[in-house]
Amino acid sequence: MLTPTEVDLILTQSLPVLPWEDCPLLQAQGRVLRQPVIADRDLPPYDRATMDGYALRFDPGRAAYTCVGMQAAGTLRRRLDDHATCLEIATGAVVPEGADTVVPYEEVQRTGDLVRIHNINTLETGRSIHRQATDARRGDPLVAAGTLLTGKEIAIAAACGATHLRVSTMPSLAVIATGDELVDVENPSPAAHQVRRSNDYALRAELLAKGFLRVERLHIRDQKYELEQQLKRLLAGTDAILLTGGVSKGKYDFLPTVLDELGVTKKVHGVRQRPGKPFWFGLTPRGAPVFALPGNPVSTWICFHRYVLPALRHMRGETESPAQYTVLESEYAFSTALTPLVPVRLTHAADGRRLARPVTTRTSGDFTSLLGTDGFIELPEGPLSYAAGSSARFWSW
């Protein structure tokens, strides 16, 4: 069996990167940028006032100025002709030619057109002025390719006049729950040997929340013929397939065999971890990934966040986020020499450390135990006891 780190390397080396398309700015939220946003002019494009007040030419010995007009935001730049005059100015307005300082309203007294500064000793040249090009110069790259676009990046693109952005295409995904024991959520009275479906609902909801909006969801029974027919259709045109259940070594776990017969090349089957040891990954003849997750809900949820979600982000060209770490709040014991993947609640110590409090799941089918958790930690393989303060990588839900 492979280690989680070895699985990461296989995924990175195997996965295709989706093609790009041009997307209107108003529809780019949640997409991944594939071409940098470049400043089309200086930012700010002019010297701008950062306070409402009076624009003047700084003179250390002068306390009184004559106001000769108003420089409003969005109006053509005016001019000061001498040291004795000033212009009233609005926040965001272009600083008048000849002015080099803005004095806020609250620091002056105005009588008619005469503006008197309370204390000239507090003034200095350049006060309350945001100088042209101090944020960026024309031609500077502002938002890097690989960025997941949020409101911040959309604002910058809008300021640069980018009506369209080059982004990764939206992949088509299929989420498939397998198992004869599964019944529809709408079933009011499952039999004693049946359970309502939850994995496909959970994974679809999480994919939608992470910006993957083209998700087909379906159920296939543990019937080899049915698996063959449904998967054959999906493998022909779907960008990525997620299956849950039927991937271990039980008598009715047909998935590995069916996928092999349909031409899917196995890359991973079995990881030295708990939960989620039977995790399976392969590629279709056209290079589309197939992920088969263990059917127990905790295993499904952890494998999805540990492997599938990072893989899908890699496919859409998203820059990988730096790894997060935390420390154990107290000693933790583990029963087997595998990599522990442990759900945790986060707390914070007075010294600023982020602490992880392990949450015990009764079995890998105990999905309710994940309520209130923040993610899971990945502890090193080997020791069966981990001391309080031990560092661990943290994976957020």
Side-chain angles (χ1 to χ4, degrees), residues 135-306:
D135 295 346
R137 294 191 175 277
R138 179 181 178 182
D140 284 350
L142 300 181
V143 185
T147 301
L148 180 66
L149 295 170
T150 68
K152 301 187 298 295
E153 294 80 21
I154 297 295
I156 291 170
C160 294
T163 60
H164 287 71
L165 296 175
R166 183 164 293 179
V167 300
S168 296
T169 56
M170 187 68 68
S172 59
L173 308 176
V175 175
I176 306 162
T178 69
D180 289 341
E181 77 278 16
L182 302 178
V183 297
D184 290 338
V185 172
E186 294 83 0
N187 190 321
S189 303
H193 61 279
Q194 296 176 323
V195 293
R196 294 188 180 94
R197 289 159 53 190
S198 62
N199 283 339
D200 53 323
Y201 283 86
L203 295 182
R204 179 181 180 274
E206 194 70 357
L207 287 166
L208 293 177
K210 297 299 190 292
F212 297 94
L213 304 182
R214 298 175 58 198
V215 184
E216 181 180 357
R217 181 183 57 79
L218 64 157
H219 170 229
I220 304 177
R221 296 180 302 161
D222 287 326
Q223 304 293 325
K224 192 169 184 288
Y225 175 79
E226 192 171 320
L227 283 166
E228 290 170 348
Q229 295 304 305
Q230 292 277 30
L231 286 175
K232 186 176 182 179
R233 173 184 68 84
L234 293 167
L235 292 171
T238 308
D239 292 316
I241 294 175
L242 284 67
L243 297 127
T244 68
V247 73
S248 191
K249 296 182 179 181
K251 185 174 182 179
Y252 296 99
D253 290 335
F254 298 121
L255 262 181
T257 300
V258 170
L259 290 169
D260 178 66
E261 292 174 354
L262 291 174
V264 180
T265 302
K266 179 184 71 176
K267 297 287 186 179
V268 176
H269 191 190
V271 189
R272 293 206 302 268
Q273 67 181 45
R274 179 175 289 179
K277 191 168 85 170
F279 174 78
W280 192 100
F281 164 71
L283 294 174
T284 70
R286 57 189 182 84
V290 178
F291 305 93
L293 315 181
N296 281 323
V298 175
S299 299
T300 295
W301 196 242
I302 286 179
C303 284
F304 173 79
H305 286 89
R306 178 60 181 83

Side-chain angles (χ1 to χ4, degrees), residues 324-341:
Q324 300 182 56
Y325 290 88
T326 184
V327 297
L328 279 171
E329 182 182 62
S330 58
E331 183 180 4
Y332 178 74
F334 196 60
S335 61
T336 183
L338 298 172
T339 298
L341 304 179

